[in-house]
Amino acid sequence: MPKFKLFKERKGKADQLKNNQYVKLARAIYVEAKKGGPNPEANFGLKTAIANARAIQMPNENIERAIKKAIGANDSENYEEIIYEGYGPGGVAIMVKCLTDNRNRTAADVRAVFNKRGGNMGESGCVSYMFDEKGLLVVEREGLDLNEDDLLMLALEAGAEDVIVNETSFEILTAPRDFEKVKTELEKQGLQFSEASISWLPQNTVKVEGENAEKLTKMMEAFDDLDDVQDVYANFEIDGQ
């Protein structure tokens, strides 16, 4: 395969991934604006959604368009949040969070990904007991002036429960009810977040290798391609990822 063709295909996939992220974040902004009003200073959910959009360089016009659509007098769209649960290859537990205006379509799409990629969708509650709902604030190490101890002290003083140290980032965990307070306090201290959300974190992880690892990677990509899917939470661990 000629090199230029390979690069073009890779660039096309990268562009498609970014477009998918824009669609998902625009939908989150729309929902938060419709639910709590268009002023981010008075609507914490909207403020967080906008910050997440800006973290991936989503254009301001896309953000403004989503807000204007939400407050439009003739707008009749109505999205609801649904979490689907199931198992992937190797018995991996998976939770798929969606924002949808058509529950039947979304359920069929999510089920198809499970079935085609070697998994199966289960009933509500079949895997959620393996996860804890937490506020998650991710701080990238690059460009950070604070050392590990200082960041830990700041986070705990702000009300965080724990800080997970990774090679390239710090993950600050909070109780869901404390998420807004902790995020606001740490922003006052000058911290910026590459991700800020209420997430489902696995209590334990399952190491996956070989064919199952390949199938799981493709399953995650397939979920990400669905516009209705906002986040996917899973308890697998793959070397090198």
Side-chain angles (χ1 to χ4, degrees), residues 157-174:
E157 287 179 349
E161 291 184 343
D162 198 5
V163 176
I164 298 173
V165 179
N166 299 312
E167 284 186 19
T168 60
S169 66
F170 297 100
E171 296 179 358
I172 301 170
L173 305 183
T174 79

Side-chain angles (χ1 to χ4, degrees), residues 91-162:
V92 167
I94 298 173
M95 299 177 68
V96 185
K97 186 173 85 171
C98 301
L99 278 178
T100 178
D101 59 350
N102 187 323
R103 183 187 285 253
N104 291 336
R105 177 197 67 222
T106 305
D109 289 345
V110 171
R111 189 183 300 278
V113 172
F114 272 114
N115 291 343
K116 290 177 182 177
R117 302 297 178 181
N120 63 283
M121 194 163 85
E123 297 296 322
S124 178
C126 68
V127 302
S128 57
Y129 68 92
M130 303 182 200
F131 295 77
D132 292 319
E133 190 177 22
K134 296 289 182 183
L136 174 64
L137 299 163
V138 180
V139 180
E140 300 298 329
R141 282 180 177 267
E142 186 176 352
L144 185 66
D145 293 332
L146 297 172
N147 62 36
E148 188 175 313
D149 291 337
D150 289 340
L151 179 69
L152 177 61
M153 186 64 68
L154 266 184
L156 294 179
E157 287 179 349
E161 291 184 343
D162 198 5

Side-chain angles (χ1 to χ4, degrees), residues 179-241:
F179 175 69
E180 179 176 349
K181 176 176 72 73
V182 174
K183 181 175 185 290
T184 300
E185 184 59 36
L186 291 178
E187 284 174 337
K188 290 178 183 176
Q189 301 297 325
L191 290 183
Q192 296 182 325
F193 309 108
S194 59
E195 180 184 343
S197 62
I198 303 293
S199 299
W200 289 88
L201 305 181
Q203 296 163 0
N204 299 288
T205 56
V206 177
K207 191 167 185 179
V208 182
E209 300 174 316
E211 185 179 351
N212 282 340
E214 292 178 16
K215 287 181 178 179
L216 276 167
T217 299
K218 291 179 179 178
M219 179 181 276
M220 295 301 109
E221 291 173 352
F223 280 133
D224 198 50
D225 285 341
L226 298 178
D227 287 346
D228 292 343
V229 173
Q230 289 288 303
D231 286 296
V232 181
Y233 313 108
N235 68 347
F236 68 87
E237 184 179 337
I238 297 175
D239 284 342
Q241 289 191 16

